[in-house]
Amino acid sequence: AQSVAQPEDQVNVAEGNPLTVKCTYSVSGNPYLFWYVQYPNRGLQFLLKYITGDNLVKGSYGFEAEFNKSQTSFHLKKPSALVSDSALYFCAVTFEDTGFQKLVFGTGTRLLVSP
Amino acid sequence: GAGVSQSPRYKVAKRGQDVALRCDPISGHVSLFWYQQALGQGPEFLTYFQNEAQLDKSGLPSDRFFAERPEGSVSTLKIQRTQQEDSAVYLCASSSTTGAYTEAFFGQGTRLTVV
């Protein structure tokens, strides 16, 4: 079955340190991968996506993610975390079987950045 | 409008009541999606519209769930005879194209509590 896994329920990092939020996927065929962020009382906001091309994609607010086909991973990274990055992060995938029309989400990872 | 708008933001229903949840997508967006997000989980796909056509309703959990988008803009998700397991946040998203290249924009969601 097509799926996305976010193995960490929560990631804690100190402000100014680099952060990584992990995501692995399982799909047949080529995946299109996304990261969304959810702040309290706000809708999901798009951060970045990988469709094809360069394995390192850059997105909003200084975030980037690296697509690794051999490890079936799409980890979210930021070189220097801010307290305001604290939120719930979701990895999602869409794939050819669905006509690329629906997203399959992971269970989310809560990022806590301490001052 | 500037973003995807959902109403009501909160809905409390007694078990057995019918509810209707409204989604106003971004003007001109062709694609519209409904997702269900249970507490502590990632969003799960319910249904997809391309203009007024409902192309995928594979995620609707039962025949008590019904969605429509009669004029290709506003959409309504209706749940008949609500049950406690229907309690969740219902998210609507829209995108400007029918392909996966364009990210979806999410509304803030409607939190449904069935008592």
Side-chain angles (χ1 to χ4, degrees):
Chain A
Q2 321 284 12
S3 64
V4 173
Q6 292 182 245
E8 303 154 316
D9 289 337
Q10 184 165 305
V11 169
N12 297 306
V13 65
E15 188 174 33
N17 283 358
L19 69 88
T20 299
V21 182
K22 296 180 181 178
C23 172
T24 59
Y25 64 90
S26 174
V27 300
S28 56
N30 294 320
Y32 291 1
L33 294 152
F34 299 79
W35 276 100
Y36 282 83
V37 59
Q38 189 172 43
Y39 297 100
N41 298 316
R42 296 178 63 178
L44 284 164
Q45 295 179 31
F46 169 81
L47 277 179
L48 51 78
K49 64 184 175 186
Y50 171 82
I51 303 297
T52 187
D54 194 348
N55 289 343
L56 183 66
V57 293
K58 295 185 182 296
S60 307
Y61 313 120
F63 283 94
E64 58 188 29
E66 185 168 11
F67 172 64
N68 187 318
K69 189 172 183 178
S70 63
Q71 296 185 5
T72 61
S73 67
F74 189 58
H75 301 333
L76 181 70
K77 299 181 180 183
K78 187 173 182 181
S80 178
L82 299 173
V83 172
S84 57
D85 292 331
S86 299
L88 189 56
Y89 290 81
F90 290 96
C91 181
V93 65
T94 189
F95 41 92
E96 194 167 3
D97 286 358
T98 68
F100 299 110
Q101 290 310 330
K102 64 185 180 185
L103 291 167
V104 175
F105 285 87
T107 52
T109 298
R110 186 166 300 281
L111 174 66
L112 288 178
V113 182
S114 55
Chain B
V4 178
S5 178
Q6 293 186 246
S7 61
R9 288 290 316 282
Y10 304 92
K11 177 69 179 178
V12 178
K14 291 184 178 179
R15 188 158 55 96
Q17 249 186 331
D18 296 349
V19 298
L21 311 180
R22 178 187 169 102
C23 173
D24 282 87
I26 294 173
S27 178
H29 275 197
V30 170
S31 296
L32 186 145
F33 306 82
W34 283 98
Y35 289 84
Q36 180 190 59
Q37 186 175 16
L39 190 64
Q41 301 296 315
E44 292 193 0
F45 172 82
L46 292 177
T47 187
Y48 161 65
F49 290 86
Q50 182 179 320
N51 296 307
E52 69 278 5
Q54 189 176 20
L55 298 187
D56 187 343
K57 54 182 180 180
S58 62
L60 296 177
S62 77
D63 58 8
R64 296 186 294 105
F65 286 70
F66 172 77
E68 59 183 5
R69 194 187 185 196
E71 297 179 356
S73 56
V74 171
S75 178
T76 303
L77 176 67
K78 297 179 179 178
I79 309 173
Q80 296 177 323
R81 305 181 302 282
T82 52
Q83 303 295 315
Q84 283 193 318
E85 62 263 28
D86 300 334
S87 296
V89 176
Y90 290 85
L91 299 171
C92 177
S94 68
S95 67
S96 59
T97 71
T98 59
Y101 300 87
T102 306
E103 64 270 21
F105 292 83
F106 283 80
Q108 290 181 277
T110 295
R111 182 178 296 279
L112 173 65
T113 303
V114 181
V115 297

